[in-house]
Amino acid sequence: MNTAVSQSELNAAWRGAESHCIKCGFCLPVCPTYRETGSEASSPRGRLELMYAAAQGQLPAREIAEPLGQCLGCLACETACPAGIRFRDLLEAGQADTARGGALKHLLLNRLLLSPGLRSLLAWGLYAYRMSGLQFVLRGLGLLDLLLPSLGRMERAIPPFGPPLGWRRGVRGLIAEISTPAREGAEAVLFTGCVMDTLFGEVHAATVKVLARNGYKALLPPGQTCCGALHAHEGQREAARELARRNIAAWEATGEAPIVVNSAGCGATLKAYGRLLAGDEQWRERAERVAARVRDVCEFLAALPLVQPTRPMPMRVAYDDPCHLLHAQQISSQPRELLARIPELELVPLPEADWCCGSAGSYSLHYPAMSARVLARKMANIAATEAHVVATGNPGCLLQLRLGAKRQGLQIHVVHPIQLLARSYE
């Protein structure tokens, strides 16, 4: 770890915070980890104190690594904070200060996520592993836990997902096939990302169809890549900045077309590119201009004179707010408004819809016990709704809720809101 570089990250972030913690405690009741542990070090207020001490040189960075790592990064504390502290900036800087390297992390973040071919290969391998029955056998015998307990924990965190269909090529083909005429000049960039591109091609396809139905042609500019969210969350902020520069350069070639995102975590990161590159004079203004064009797909559609969906869908649907859509982007009503437009769809209230599901990127791999506790509470609330479908707009949340439904034996479908809207347009 380069302490000088890391320390400058934390100091710069602290100087950029809008104010210091006033110890009011408003963040405590909304923090999932504080609710589960009751520990001040597991609260936003406690983590801020630890980060401030590290920034002042009063604590070695290694001593704050565990409390920061246990944070879900849900940002509910930002919504609750009357002082307006930008907790996410401080948290990412603190994670950069405490980041540990390793060959596996480097492989995952800087090889796998950035290579569509490798991602597709891994996804197909995992799908074959599950469908062949090998997963059932290895789990039943407990061989992975005997060989390497951490590998067993990671394997149990694999949620069910359908066959990866190579949707990057498929979406391009779909765009070419759609005959719905777009309005003159009505174009929107579709951000494909990495996890969404690999595991949720059906969501991209639904997005393209809904955009076309409302007169917009989807653009897939060459050169766009991973948004950098996972890199920033894992403390690799310079790697996240480099990915931001690549995306900015790719999108500048598309003029002023809005950038439509169907992943809440990606959208929150893209909208924050101006802050991520605030210290780079060559890219700061370019980042701010691009970030201003970013729209979550539900945010974008809700602002249009939307074409009325007509196919009736008689089902009970509960909507669960992704943390990075609700707290990072302040988007809550728009997905519900779109779902309410679907004929015969009954939108049922979900208790604690604004609470984290425990996914938080790679959190479930690092802290499976805490992730499972948070998820269990979420699934109990979902079960109480007696909904047929749960809709949520983030890949981590989709995977986590599907995993929870499988563990609890719930017969419930977990989908992206845009998929329901696309079906009602058919």
Side-chain angles (χ1 to χ4, degrees):
M1 180 181 70
N2 187 328
T3 304
V5 173
S6 299
Q7 196 71 20
S8 68
E9 286 269 6
L10 192 52
N11 280 328
W14 197 269
R15 287 195 302 270
E18 294 184 13
S19 71
H20 287 204
C21 179
I22 59 176
K23 314 295 190 299
C24 67
F26 283 13
C27 61
L28 301 183
V30 303
C31 175
T33 52
Y34 179 78
R35 180 178 65 182
E36 294 293 334
T37 66
S39 168
E40 183 74 11
S42 295
S43 73
R45 184 173 67 181
R47 292 180 177 115
L48 286 171
E49 281 293 298
L50 291 172
M51 286 188 284
Y52 184 70
Q56 297 299 308
Q58 299 167 3
L59 272 180
R62 63 179 178 275
E63 293 191 15
I64 70 171
E66 189 68 11
L68 296 193
Q70 289 182 346
C71 177
L72 285 154
C74 70
L75 306 182
C77 55
E78 284 198 9
T79 300
C81 181
I85 293 178
R86 297 199 65 86
F87 185 80
R88 74 191 91 172
D89 293 340
L90 293 163
L91 177 65
E92 288 183 2
Q95 288 169 331
D97 196 35
T98 60
R100 294 180 175 88
L104 180 59
K105 180 182 289 188
H106 177 78
L107 177 66
L108 291 175
L109 293 178
N110 301 309
R111 292 292 183 268
L112 180 63
L113 285 184
L114 306 187
S115 170
L118 288 177
R119 293 199 308 267
S120 181
L121 183 64
L122 176 63
W124 271 111
L126 291 175
Y127 181 72
Y129 166 71
R130 183 166 68 89
M131 298 304 293
S132 66
L134 183 60
Q135 181 185 58
F136 178 80
V137 173
L138 292 182
R139 283 188 179 183
L141 296 176
L143 291 180
L144 295 179
D145 289 307
L146 290 175
L147 292 172
L148 188 62
S150 60
L151 181 61
R153 289 196 300 270
M154 290 176 63
E155 192 276 339
R156 285 190 295 275
I158 299 173
F161 59 88
L165 299 177
W167 280 95
R168 176 178 293 275
R169 187 178 299 107
V171 171
R172 289 189 184 277
L174 181 66
I175 292 172
E177 293 169 8
I178 287 177
S179 59
T180 303
R183 295 190 299 272
E184 184 177 355
E187 297 177 328
V189 174
L190 173 62
F191 177 66
T192 49
C194 51
V195 176
M196 290 297 291
D197 196 38
T198 304
L199 299 181
F200 294 100
E202 69 275 13
V203 177
H204 283 340
T207 303
V208 171
K209 291 176 181 177
V210 173
L211 287 174
R213 188 69 180 85
N214 286 277
Y216 278 82
K217 177 183 178 182
L219 304 177
L220 297 179
Q224 66 175 357
T225 184
C226 170
C227 68
L230 291 176
H231 296 78
H233 297 166
E234 291 290 339
Q236 297 191 16
R237 287 180 39 108
E238 191 50 51
R241 291 186 180 104
E242 182 55 36
L243 292 172
R245 295 182 187 103
R246 289 169 59 180
N247 281 323
I248 291 166
W251 296 330
E252 285 176 333
T254 63
E256 297 299 319
I259 301 164
V260 175
V261 189
N262 50 29
S263 163
C266 296
T269 297
L270 300 181
K271 289 182 177 181
Y273 271 1
R275 295 198 307 275
L276 183 63
L277 294 173
D280 188 330
E281 293 187 4
Q282 293 184 340
W283 287 88
R284 181 179 62 248
E285 291 185 3
R286 296 169 67 181
E288 290 172 351
R289 285 195 298 269
V290 162
R293 294 164 51 192
V294 176
R295 297 289 184 274
D296 177 77
V297 63
C298 292
E299 174 189 22
F300 179 74
L301 293 169
L304 299 178
L306 192 75
V307 173
Q308 176 61 38
T310 57
R311 179 184 177 185
M313 299 182 65
M315 60 179 64
R316 290 170 58 87
V317 177
Y319 176 75
D320 191 49
D321 291 280
C323 295
H324 282 80
L325 197 59
L326 175 64
H327 300 301
Q329 301 182 59
Q330 290 79 53
I331 295 172
S332 176
S333 62
Q334 295 93 323
R336 292 175 169 86
E337 290 170 3
L338 294 177
L339 292 172
R341 299 285 295 272
I342 298 175
E344 299 185 25
L345 184 149
E346 180 186 358
L347 189 60
V348 298
L350 172 60
E352 297 183 346
D354 57 342
W355 277 82
C356 185
C357 66
S359 171
S362 59
Y363 187 90
S364 60
L365 300 180
H366 297 308
Y367 300 97
M370 179 62 72
S371 176
R373 288 162 67 179
V374 176
L375 176 60
R377 181 165 181 143
K378 175 68 70 176
M379 298 315 299
N381 285 323
I382 289 174
T385 67
E386 298 184 352
H388 307 120
V389 174
V390 176
T392 191
N394 189 61
C397 302
L398 289 164
L399 293 173
Q400 181 83 336
L401 295 182
R402 290 177 184 179
L403 179 63
K406 182 178 181 181
R407 287 177 176 174
Q408 300 295 326
L410 296 179
Q411 299 300 313
I412 193 167
H413 296 287
V414 183
V415 301
H416 195 290
I418 202 70
Q419 291 176 271
L420 297 176
L421 192 60
R423 284 176 59 189
S424 189
Y425 275 136
E426 290 176 357

